Amino acid sequence: MSRTFEEARRWARLGTDLFVRAADIGEAGLDAPSALPGWTRKHLVAHVAANADALGNLVHWAATGDRKPMYSSPEERAAGIERGAAMPAAELTAWLRRSADELAASTGSLSDEQWRSPVVTAQGRTVPATELPWMRSREVCVHAVDLGTGLTFAALPTGFLAALCDDVVAKRAKDGGPALLLEATDTGARWELPGEGEPAGLTAPLHEITAYLTGREHALTAPGGGPVPALARWL
């Protein structure tokens, strides 16, 4: 992966700040639809707040050895988001800020040895705790765009976008789909995605490639001007 631990920590801080500021839009703004189908902005804010609490459970695990999963069950996770989506805006954004502050404080107290401790993600992957900042940076940066308040992938750091493309391509390579050859016209970065059929060569600025790979709104077209191959859901 084209990222370091310290870069991931920096992106997590940046993304958290972007998300918190973008979510400060009052009751009517948060009641409006987000860019994610079926979710209001309140759903999205609740999801990100709950994610900080869930990652905090893994920080506790790494710090103490007490196995504390991110969520007790998928049903509990979904119910928590629905409860958050029904909160008044002030209460919801207070939860968002509080959970982010608590996560920052708990991660900031981990020793080098504790950062190397293995924990288990909600998807069942065993990873060192050093992966937690990257997991958080994906949540806050991508969902800051999903809030639909005007922020786009073009506003995010180039290094984050490249690392995210690495991450998404690695996952999609395991899941199947169309074969792709992607090249960022502004950075020269290239990705090859194995899959079905002859590889489709797509070129665009890095932020557009990132939007396409993550299933977000983008401006990519095929070489002849037609639509690009459809991709399955990323996460």
Side-chain angles (χ1 to χ4, degrees):
M1 295 292 183
S2 59
R3 57 179 166 86
T4 67
F5 173 61
E6 290 303 327
E7 283 175 330
R9 295 187 76 178
R10 186 168 66 251
W11 297 332
R13 292 191 295 268
L14 169 68
T16 297
D17 183 60
L18 288 173
F19 190 93
V20 169
R21 286 192 286 111
D24 188 18
I25 50 178
E27 198 74 47
L30 288 178
D31 278 334
S34 74
L36 296 183
W39 269 14
T40 66
R41 289 169 176 159
K42 279 189 174 180
H43 284 93
L44 198 50
V45 172
H47 169 68
V48 170
N51 172 261
D53 288 340
L55 289 175
N57 289 342
L58 297 190
V59 174
H60 172 83
W61 184 340
T64 67
D66 177 24
R67 296 175 63 91
K68 195 170 185 181
M70 289 184 70
Y71 303 96
S72 61
S73 69
E75 293 76 18
E76 183 268 342
R77 181 184 188 182
I81 293 172
E82 290 300 328
R83 285 194 299 273
M87 289 179 179
E91 182 179 350
L92 178 59
T93 53
W95 176 25
L96 174 67
R97 291 189 297 271
R98 181 177 65 253
S99 63
D101 289 345
E102 289 174 353
L103 180 62
S106 62
T107 54
S109 67
L110 290 179
S111 67
D112 290 345
E113 182 180 0
Q114 290 168 334
W115 274 118
R116 293 190 291 270
S117 300
V119 295
V120 180
T121 71
Q123 290 74 39
R125 295 188 303 121
T126 299
V127 299
T130 50
E131 283 296 291
L132 301 184
W134 172 243
M135 293 166 59
R136 181 60 173 173
S137 69
R138 288 187 314 182
E139 287 286 331
V140 289
C141 288
V142 174
H143 288 325
V145 174
D146 291 334
L147 278 172
T149 59
L151 186 75
T152 70
F153 283 103
L156 300 178
T158 297
F160 170 78
L161 297 179
L164 183 57
C165 286
D166 287 346
D167 207 49
V168 179
V169 166
K171 182 180 187 302
R172 290 194 179 281
K174 299 174 185 177
D175 296 342
L180 299 171
L181 290 173
L182 301 157
E183 181 175 0
T185 55
D186 49 349
T187 67
R190 294 169 59 89
W191 292 271
E192 182 174 355
L193 185 58
E196 303 164 1
E198 286 294 313
L202 303 176
T203 60
L206 178 58
H207 66 273
E208 294 289 358
I209 289 176
T210 309
Y212 169 60
L213 284 173
T214 57
R216 270 63 181 178
E217 186 176 349
H218 61 84
L220 264 69
T221 60
V228 294
L231 299 176
R233 182 174 174 167
W234 164 44
L235 288 177

